[in-house]
Amino acid sequence: MNKSRRITLATILGGVAAAASFNAFAHRGRGGMHGSMDVERMLRHLYAEIGATEEQKQRLEPIVKQTMQELAPLRQNLRAARGEALKLLSQDRVDAGALESLRARQIQLADEASRTVTRALVDASEVLNPAQRRQLAAYFARARRFT
C-alpha cells in the first residue's frame, strides 16, 4: 500500500475510532451501560452507512470495543490530571516544576492513546474495502465532525 493510501486510510479510520471512543466517553458518566448502548447505536449507524456485511460487523465490533476498553483508563487519568492542574493553578504560588511534570505525564497518556488508536486503525483497515472507506470519508465530511 502506498504512502498516500495509508495516510488516507489512517485519517478515515481514525475518525471512526475517535468517534466511537469519544462518543462512549461522553456518555459513560450518565450511568451504567449507557455509553455501551450508544456505541452499539453508533456502530449500527456506521454499518448501515457503509453497507457492512455480517462478517465485517463481527470483525469490527471487537476492534472498536477493545479500543474503547483500552482508552477508558487513559481518559480517567486525563480527567484526574485536569483536576490536579486546577489545584496547582489555584495555589498562592504556582509550582512550575509540578506543572511541567503534569504536562509530561499528559503527553505520555496522549501518546499511549495514539498508539492504541493507530493499532485499531490498522486492524480495521484490514476489514473494510476501498469503497467502504470512501463512503465513510464522505459520511464524516457531511457530518463535519472531522473537517
Side-chain angles (χ1 to χ4, degrees):
M1 182 181 303
N2 67 32
K3 185 176 180 179
S4 176
R5 284 190 73 199
R6 283 193 309 247
I7 292 170
T8 301
L9 177 61
T11 302
I12 292 168
L13 292 175
V16 173
S21 60
F22 293 133
N23 186 36
F25 291 154
H27 295 95
R28 189 167 288 258
R30 288 199 238 165
M33 295 293 290
H34 189 81
S36 177
M37 288 187 294
D38 283 348
V39 170
E40 295 293 333
R41 186 180 69 216
M42 186 261 325
L43 283 173
R44 282 192 309 271
H45 180 74
L46 287 175
Y47 294 155
E49 190 71 32
I50 64 173
T53 65
E54 285 303 315
E55 178 189 356
Q56 287 174 317
K57 293 175 189 178
Q58 290 174 4
R59 291 177 64 194
L60 286 170
E61 185 175 342
I63 293 169
V64 171
K65 288 184 175 182
Q66 177 67 32
T67 301
M68 289 174 34
Q69 183 179 355
E70 292 175 18
L71 291 174
L74 298 175
R75 178 181 179 264
Q76 292 169 345
N77 289 338
L78 287 169
R79 179 178 286 161
R82 284 192 301 271
E84 187 177 341
L86 291 174
K87 286 179 185 176
L88 288 170
L89 293 171
S90 298
Q91 295 175 356
D92 289 339
R93 185 174 174 103
V94 175
D95 182 347
L99 279 174
E100 175 57 26
S101 176
L102 178 62
R103 183 202 64 78
R105 285 195 316 268
Q106 287 179 304
I107 294 296
Q108 288 175 337
L109 290 172
D111 187 51
E112 187 176 340
S114 177
R115 280 192 304 272
T116 300
V117 170
T118 298
R119 187 180 68 247
L121 295 175
V122 170
D123 293 345
S125 73
E126 296 172 359
V127 176
L128 299 175
N129 65 46
Q132 290 171 317
R133 292 190 299 265
R134 286 189 293 274
Q135 289 171 321
L136 201 54
Y139 167 75
F140 285 124
R142 284 190 313 273
R144 301 181 59 86
R145 291 180 184 173
F146 302 99
T147 57

